[in-house]
Amino acid sequence: NAGVMQNPRHLVRRRGQEARLRCSPMKGHSHVYWYRQLPEEGLKFMVYLQKENIIDESGMPKERFSAEFPKEGPSILRIQQVVRGDSAAYFCASSPKGTGATDTQYFGPGTRLTVL
Amino acid sequence: AQSVAQPEDQVNVAEGNPLTVKCTYSVSGNPYLFWYVQYPNRGLQFLLKYITGDNLVKGSYGFEAEFNKSQTSFHLKKPSALVSDSALYFCASGGGSASKIIFGSGTRLSIRP
């Protein structure tokens, strides 16, 4: 059973470009979570999605950031018009069908975004 | 309000000695508590989880955690530390009336030979 897959592992963008981060959950998992981690800091929750639904986006910046988890295909975290402050590691996690407050989350290896 | 606190940014232990990484939580209702470990440039790995039942939970790599309801704590422990245990450790809480799991700020564990 393959784990959570994220790609790309490393992404370099210039200021003003768009960044698209992809996450394929573990087989059979229908819940996806996105987190951001700055160097030497903890995890900051961004968004929690089920297939075709955003359940909790309380951690998403109001502008430039969006996320989706379509019926088919990976979950996508999209950052428009990136700025240097967006440089961070972005982690995706998935969990089986259940509640977002009790399921064990399984993490992908992360995408490290660098904005030049 | 739901919260998780890891009061120590860094814990230093000599190899072979017991280690403890502290975590306290605040959740309305019955908590679900987790420990994860993060090695450099890697994602978080699940170590163990408390739902209900025995207060001592055993997990991966010889780690265990003790749930203490009166102190609202869930400290991570290991009887004999290894250099390879050096990593960043995160406590997380959910359950009760929480809508999602939240993570603590992390504790960096350093084991010296």
Side-chain angles (χ1 to χ4, degrees):
Chain A
N1 189 6
V4 178
M5 310 284 283
Q6 287 189 252
N7 68 80
R9 293 293 306 276
H10 300 274
L11 182 61
V12 179
R13 286 287 179 266
R14 297 191 180 279
R15 281 179 296 170
Q17 291 184 321
E18 178 181 285
R20 282 188 179 233
L21 287 62
R22 295 175 188 78
C23 170
S24 296
M26 288 179 70
K27 186 177 181 180
H29 286 194
S30 58
H31 298 219
V32 165
Y33 314 79
W34 285 94
Y35 296 87
R36 178 163 62 179
Q37 186 179 36
L38 295 171
E40 301 301 315
E41 291 191 13
L43 287 175
K44 298 296 184 186
F45 168 79
M46 299 182 74
V47 63
Y48 163 31
L49 310 107
Q50 293 178 11
K51 289 276 187 182
E52 299 184 286
N53 281 311
I54 296 175
I55 305 303
D56 184 337
E57 56 181 348
S58 58
M60 288 280 271
K62 294 282 187 280
E63 297 177 347
R64 300 189 298 110
F65 285 72
S66 62
E68 62 177 4
F69 188 16
K71 187 176 180 180
E72 300 291 338
S75 175
I76 305 288
L77 179 67
R78 183 183 178 202
I79 311 172
Q80 294 178 292
Q81 299 177 315
V82 296
V83 300
R84 289 215 173 109
D86 296 333
S87 296
Y90 292 83
F91 290 97
C92 168
S94 72
S95 69
K97 189 174 183 178
T99 73
T102 58
D103 278 355
T104 300
Q105 294 180 20
Y106 296 89
F107 283 77
T111 293
R112 277 153 187 83
L113 173 65
T114 301
V115 180
L116 302 178
Chain B
Q2 181 188 8
S3 67
V4 178
Q6 294 182 243
E8 303 158 315
D9 290 337
Q10 174 107 17
V11 171
N12 299 309
V13 176
E15 186 176 26
N17 283 0
L19 68 87
T20 298
V21 183
K22 296 179 181 177
C23 172
T24 58
Y25 67 91
S26 175
V27 172
S28 298
N30 295 321
Y32 282 57
L33 300 164
F34 307 80
W35 276 103
Y36 286 82
V37 59
Q38 184 181 31
Y39 296 101
N41 299 314
R42 305 284 290 275
L44 276 68
Q45 294 180 31
F46 170 72
L47 278 179
L48 52 81
K49 174 181 182 179
Y50 171 84
I51 302 173
T52 186
D54 288 342
N55 290 340
L56 189 64
V57 180
K58 294 191 181 297
S60 305
Y61 311 122
F63 283 94
E64 57 191 25
E66 186 172 9
F67 172 67
N68 186 316
K69 187 174 182 178
S70 63
Q71 297 186 2
T72 62
S73 67
F74 189 57
H75 301 332
L76 183 70
K77 300 182 179 185
K78 187 173 182 180
S80 178
L82 300 173
V83 172
S84 57
D85 293 331
S86 299
L88 189 57
Y89 289 81
F90 290 97
C91 180
S93 78
S97 60
S99 61
K100 59 180 177 284
I101 292 169
I102 62 169
F103 286 80
S105 55
T107 298
R108 187 164 299 282
L109 178 64
S110 178
I111 310 299
R112 59 183 183 275

